[in-house]
């Protein structure tokens, strides 16, 4: 393993973008397996190849920049997905509303009848049924 450590010295390694590319190529390979389209497999191998080229790259600054760009796209999607999952998990005990003026998502306990809600963000008051 010592030769590998020496080899990787000064090289970029793996990051979130590599992980994403790895998963994407695996998904493509599975699709290629089931559909029988060879082209899909070639694209998957190409992505895999780029993943390793990035990992062994010595231009750390540029690879970091690519990863940052990837995260700027991924993070909002991830947080939206997590809040969606959270909403489903809490849908039995809570109801969700959007503030009519600032559009912030608000959570109200279920089964309280008509209630007055005050938005914690912009202090707008509105009536809601829970
Ligand atoms: Zn508001």
């Amino acid at each position: 393993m010592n030769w590998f450590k020496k080899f990787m010295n000064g090289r970029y390694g793996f990051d979130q973008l590599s992980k994403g590319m790895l998963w994407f190529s695996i998904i493509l390979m599975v699709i290629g397996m089931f559909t029988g389209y060879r082209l899909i497999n070639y694209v998957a191998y190409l992505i895999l190849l780029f993943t390793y080229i990035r990992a062994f790259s010595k231009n750390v600054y540029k690879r970091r920049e690519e990863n940052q760009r990837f995260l700027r796209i991924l993070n909002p999607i991830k947080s939206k997905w997590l809040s969606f999952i959270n909403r489903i998990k809490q849908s039995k005990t809570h109801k969700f509303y959007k503030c009519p003026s600032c559009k912030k998502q608000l959570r109200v306990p279920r089964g309280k009848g008509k209630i007055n809600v005050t938005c914690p963000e912009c202090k707008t008051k509105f009536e809601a049924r829970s």
Side-chain angles (χ1 to χ4, degrees):
M1 262 341 246
N2 213 10
W3 66 269
F4 188 71
K5 255 188 190 163
K6 262 188 195 155
F7 174 73
M8 284 308 283
N9 192 23
R11 292 176 198 271
Y12 185 60
F14 290 91
D15 57 10
Q16 291 95 335
L17 177 56
S18 331
K19 221 165 133 189
M21 285 165 77
L22 218 63
W23 275 110
F24 188 56
S25 65
I26 288 169
I27 289 165
L28 282 182
M29 277 181 212
V30 171
I31 292 170
M33 220 164 65
F34 283 108
T35 57
Y37 284 117
R38 277 245 169 99
L39 189 69
I40 295 173
N41 279 332
Y42 292 142
V43 172
Y45 291 134
L46 211 65
I47 290 168
L48 213 58
L49 184 71
F50 272 115
T51 307
Y52 279 93
I53 289 172
R54 279 191 79 245
F56 297 149
S57 165
K58 285 193 170 178
N59 194 345
V60 174
Y61 178 74
K62 216 164 186 183
R63 300 293 87 80
R64 236 179 235 154
E65 228 178 47
E66 288 167 1
N67 193 46
Q68 287 306 314
R69 251 181 281 153
F70 173 68
L71 290 179
R72 267 199 292 274
I73 297 168
L74 183 75
N75 283 341
I77 298 169
K78 208 170 161 185
S79 83
K80 264 191 188 153
W81 172 251
L82 287 178
S83 102
F84 174 71
I85 294 295
N86 242 335
R87 254 180 92 152
I88 291 175
K89 276 185 185 164
Q90 298 177 349
S91 65
K92 269 189 183 163
T93 54
H94 292 84
K95 238 178 169 177
F96 291 85
Y97 288 99
K98 257 190 187 153
C99 170
S101 75
C102 74
K103 308 292 178 219
K104 185 182 169 53
Q105 187 178 287
L106 305 172
R107 196 185 69 162
V108 171
R110 263 186 199 277
K112 303 274 185 206
K114 233 181 203 177
I115 51 171
N116 291 313
V117 181
T118 307
C119 173
E121 201 77 12
C122 67
K123 311 293 177 213
T124 301
K125 287 179 198 272
F126 66 98
E127 226 172 53
R129 220 170 246 292
S130 67

